[in-house]
Amino acid sequence: MARPELLDPVLGDLASRIRAALLAAGLPEAEADLERPRQPEHGDWATTAPLRLAKPAKRPPREIAQALIDHLDLPDAVESVEIAGPGFVNFRLAHRYHEALVHRVVAAGDDYGRRNREQGERETVNVEFVSANPTGPLHVGAGRWAATGDAIAALLEADGHEVVREYYVNDAGEQVRRFGESVVLTARGLPLGDDHYRGSYIPEVAEQLRAEHGDGLFEDIPDTEIQLGGGAEHAADGELVEDAAVTADPRVDPRIGARVGVLAVEAMRQRIQGQMHQLGVDFDVWFSERHLHDTGAIEAVIGQLKADGRTYEADGATYLRTEQFGDDKDRVIVRSDGRPTYFASDLAYMRDKWERVTADGRSGRLYYLLGADHHGYVGRLLAAAECLGLPRDRVEVRIGQLVNLLRGGEPVRMSKRTGEMIALDEVVDEVGPDVTRYHFLRQGLDTMVDFDLDVVAQQSMENPVYYVQYAHARINSLIRTADERGFDHGSLEDADLTRLTHPAELQLLTAMAQLPIVVDDAADLRATQRLARYAEELAGTFHRFYTECRVLVEGDDQLGQARYWLAVAAKQVLVNALALLRVTAPERM
RNA sequence: GCCCCCGUAGCUCAGUGGAUAGAGCACUGGCCUCCGGAGCCAGAAGCGAAGGUUCGAUUCCUUCCGGGGGUACCA
């Protein structure tokens, strides 16, 4: 639950006065909640304290409400108070509150809506998202995690926390060698096996590596000359070769497959980084799984878990006792042949992240954003956190439903096996980054999203992002026109904001006042759609204001100036909301 | 079998226990020679079903119905 009283000094003042009044009236202690009534006629803010107190105080709610009002020392910023319905107490803000808001917004500028936290209340949050395997380009679905993870990170930052945006690169394991084999076979012009990766990007990677390393890269070479992973002896590469005993394609020397795989994976990772950047998403950390192998972090965490008595041996394998922490069953971390599982990497990775976010005594938090296809991981990740001794409430795993890619209402088949797919960058090229991001951000994570290329490509109200951007472009046009006509807007200090009395003006002001609360709320719930819907609402109130209230009015400069500054402030709020969604605010469109 | 998500207007979706459940699309009808009509105003239309908790349930719990997804010593 958002706490408006913490974000707005006026509301904070009101809340404490309510608490004082309840106390003075001899009522039991209660939260002085403030919420916004649905109906505008019910005022700007309301408290439900009397309804909550009815039972403990054994008095009717309306009577309590009256007692509250009788003892309430009404602040200047509140114009009126009344009892309504079963026992709500409604407050209407005085006009000076709205006037002060314009000054607040303009003074705060880009910081309006952002919150400062004391050191003790600030968390360092590691937000891990996308983390798709670098064995192929990203598809549209990854765009959802990219847009959402990035916006949640931005919201947490605005809410006063420190954030690290992180991508976990699965650049170790058998899939790397298999990916390498696919590239080698393609480079040699040989047919691929059933287990190989396909798709037009494979020949592209083969060509790129050929250009960078020469043809010899794909040829089998004598044992004495082989070098793994750019010369260094990588444990991961050693494992790759060992794994190959069972699963390798006989046509490709596993050492060649592994070596090419490592290079191909890095090439793919760079393309993914480019895809992310194109969407406006730039990660702070690209964390290599290989790094965990190289540094012995995996063995270390296994050793620690064994020492802590979290494991047991069965059938020659090592199991982690995750079931006692809510997982469906205990999980293997070391296979019977001695190789660690991916889950073991996950454990080492989690420990590494936790050490980073809690370094220097900071208050850390781990946030995982996963697709519904990984929902089975939630239980084991949370159990893993407990096995590692991490506080459970500091590890958050959120699941988002998947994306359906459509064209003209028909599903676009995507199959990794046949390689038939439309990559994320192709989609973004077609419809643009703003539309792509916004389309994902305005819907909750629990809802499955249809991404219809034909619909999304339309520049109409099928895409509310244009509605919001248009409001911004309109304000700019307004300011431009005022300039061209030599309109004297004066200074904000001299503007007579008491002239802003039209209902459309008051609605706009009221909407503008909500941004800090919406940000807090959305950050708290990790719900980007809150912010997107708010931006639409704000744009709507501006459009109505624009239609009903002329700014460049003839013969009333004072009114024009007041409205001019209102528009300037509204633009700032719009810009700030769009910035958090990482959607551009165009001057013209 | 077990687990997760969803079911709100004709369609796509908001709505974290509060008062008369909101937008967009689609449909119908309007918008003064004037700052951008990608806009504004008006109309009609809805919480899958049944129980329970609560002063109060679209929201929390149970069951049922309907739709989507997940269930490895895979990666």
Side-chain angles (χ1 to χ4, degrees):
Chain A
M1 188 68 196
R3 305 281 302 279
E5 68 275 16
L6 296 180
L7 301 166
D8 185 315
V10 170
L11 299 179
D13 179 40
L14 178 58
S16 56
R17 284 168 192 253
I18 292 172
R19 274 191 295 272
L22 292 172
L23 209 64
L27 290 157
E29 234 178 291
E31 213 183 309
D33 68 307
L34 285 173
E35 57 179 52
R36 283 188 50 73
R38 264 196 247 265
Q39 307 298 321
E41 309 86 67
H42 293 147
D44 296 304
W45 291 94
T47 183
T48 63
L51 291 166
R52 299 174 195 284
L53 283 170
K55 195 163 207 178
K58 298 196 180 76
R59 291 166 64 184
R62 288 190 66 106
E63 191 183 310
I64 296 174
Q66 189 57 54
L68 165 60
I69 291 177
D70 290 344
H71 291 84
L72 186 60
D73 178 18
L74 214 56
D76 290 346
V78 175
E79 179 184 272
S80 66
V81 55
E82 64 185 17
I83 303 171
F88 295 95
V89 176
N90 297 335
F91 302 94
R92 194 172 301 275
L93 293 167
H95 197 269
R96 63 170 62 91
Y97 173 87
H98 302 300
E99 293 159 30
L101 177 71
V102 176
H103 286 94
R104 255 164 62 201
V105 169
V106 172
D110 291 344
D111 286 335
Y112 178 69
R114 305 185 74 86
R115 176 177 182 182
N116 276 313
R117 278 177 191 272
E118 300 299 315
Q119 196 65 41
E121 290 183 0
R122 188 181 309 153
E123 291 184 346
T124 300
V125 190
N126 180 294
V127 180
E128 186 202 330
F129 55 110
V130 186
S131 296
N133 287 343
T135 51
L138 300 176
H139 58 270
V140 221
R144 181 173 195 182
W145 316 134
T148 306
D150 189 42
I152 287 172
L155 279 166
L156 290 170
E157 283 172 334
D159 201 33
H161 299 293
E162 281 175 46
V163 173
V164 178
R165 293 170 171 80
E166 189 150 325
Y167 190 119
Y168 181 54
V169 185
N170 288 115
D171 55 358
E174 186 182 326
Q175 57 166 350
V176 174
R177 198 209 67 251
R178 195 175 293 158
F179 188 42
E181 276 177 4
S182 311
V183 173
V184 171
L185 290 169
T186 300
R188 290 178 186 170
L190 296 172
L192 295 167
D194 287 343
D195 290 339
H196 288 122
Y197 294 92
R198 288 146 203 279
S200 54
Y201 63 94
I202 296 286
E204 286 168 23
V205 172
E207 271 320 298
Q208 183 187 337
L209 294 186
R210 191 197 303 279
E212 288 171 10
H213 301 273
D215 237 350
L217 179 67
F218 306 116
E219 303 306 320
D220 287 341
I221 45 179
D223 286 358
T224 48
E225 293 180 26
I226 192 116
Q227 285 194 324
L228 293 170
E233 198 60 45
H234 282 95
D237 301 340
E239 283 170 23
L240 289 178
V241 177
E242 284 169 31
D243 293 357
V246 246
T247 55
D249 189 299
R251 295 170 297 174
V252 179
D253 182 324
R255 293 168 302 185
I256 300 297
R259 180 180 168 182
V260 173
V262 168
L263 296 171
V265 157
E266 174 54 20
M268 222 46 256
R269 190 200 64 78
Q270 285 178 18
R271 176 165 173 191
I272 289 171
Q273 189 167 3
Q275 288 182 304
M276 291 290 90
H277 182 74
Q278 181 195 22
L279 249 194
V281 179
D282 296 296
F283 288 90
D284 300 306
V285 177
W286 293 81
F287 195 95
S288 160
E289 183 194 354
R290 259 158 48 103
H291 176 75
L292 294 171
H293 289 82
D294 293 349
T295 58
I298 294 177
E299 282 172 31
V301 79
I302 290 170
Q304 179 202 331
L305 290 165
K306 279 184 178 171
D308 290 348
R310 299 292 186 193
T311 67
Y312 61 90
E313 311 284 322
D315 310 323
T318 305
Y319 285 76
L320 184 66
R321 299 179 193 278
T322 53
E323 189 174 348
Q324 58 179 310
F325 293 122
D327 196 5
D328 297 336
K329 57 182 174 187
D330 292 335
R331 304 288 172 176
V332 174
I333 55 173
V334 183
R335 299 177 177 97
S336 51
D337 60 10
R339 293 147 50 210
T341 61
Y342 264 70
F343 185 48
S345 308
D346 293 339
L347 287 158
Y349 181 42
M350 183 181 285
R351 194 174 79 161
D352 188 281
K353 283 203 287 196
W354 181 250
E355 283 169 1
R356 280 184 280 137
V357 295
T358 55
D360 306 322
R362 288 179 298 181
S363 178
R365 174 178 296 277
L366 303 184
Y367 178 92
Y368 291 79
L369 177 59
L370 304 179
D373 49 344
H374 288 82
H375 128 262
Y377 282 46
V378 179
R380 86 187 68 165
L381 276 177
L382 293 174
E386 300 229 28
C387 288
L388 289 170
L390 276 51
R392 182 147 201 167
D393 64 340
R394 291 312 182 90
V395 179
E396 238 178 279
V397 183
R398 287 290 297 260
I399 293 299
Q401 298 301 309
L402 303 178
V403 178
N404 292 317
L405 183 63
L406 309 172
R407 192 186 285 281
E410 294 298 314
V412 177
R413 279 272 145 246
M414 285 197 289
S415 159
K416 226 168 191 170
R417 199 181 61 76
T418 62
E420 280 175 42
M421 59 179 283
I422 297 183
L424 175 61
D425 41 7
E426 298 173 73
V427 170
V428 176
D429 282 340
E430 194 172 323
V431 303
D434 284 346
V435 180
T436 306
R437 287 186 67 114
Y438 195 84
H439 190 75
F440 290 131
L441 294 178
R442 79 185 296 269
Q443 236 166 95
L445 274 179
D446 288 340
T447 315
M448 193 176 280
V449 172
D450 285 338
F451 196 95
D452 192 315
L453 290 164
D454 289 344
V455 173
V456 171
Q458 290 171 31
Q459 293 201 7
S460 69
M461 269 310 283
E462 293 283 353
N463 289 316
V465 65
Y466 293 121
Y467 181 78
V468 179
Q469 289 182 317
Y470 180 60
H472 178 264
R474 231 179 180 185
I475 298 178
N476 273 288
S477 167
L478 173 62
I479 292 171
R480 230 171 17 238
T481 307
D483 230 35
E484 287 163 10
R485 296 189 186 174
F487 175 76
D488 176 20
H489 51 70
S491 71
L492 172 57
E493 287 67 33
D494 295 335
D496 181 9
L497 300 176
T498 62
R499 300 293 306 277
L500 301 175
T501 54
H502 191 283
E505 292 166 339
L506 297 176
Q507 278 171 24
L508 178 55
L509 285 160
T510 301
M512 287 162 52
Q514 306 309 313
L515 179 67
I517 295 155
V518 172
V519 168
D520 181 66
D521 222 7
D524 234 39
L525 297 166
R526 290 87 166 95
T528 62
Q529 77 274 16
R530 297 270 174 153
L531 190 57
R533 304 282 172 162
Y534 167 74
E536 290 169 30
E537 190 188 316
L538 178 65
T541 58
F542 176 78
H543 284 311
R544 274 187 288 284
F545 159 73
Y546 185 88
T547 302
E548 296 188 33
C549 303
R550 292 195 59 77
V551 174
L552 307 179
V553 278
E554 306 277 323
D556 189 345
D557 288 350
Q558 285 204 331
L559 181 58
Q561 286 175 4
R563 286 178 171 171
Y564 176 90
W565 287 106
L566 172 59
V568 167
K571 174 186 165 178
Q572 183 71 60
V573 181
L574 221 35
V575 164
N576 294 3
L578 286 172
L580 286 171
L581 296 165
R582 294 286 193 281
V583 170
T584 61
E587 305 282 311
R588 291 185 160 85
M589 48 191 296

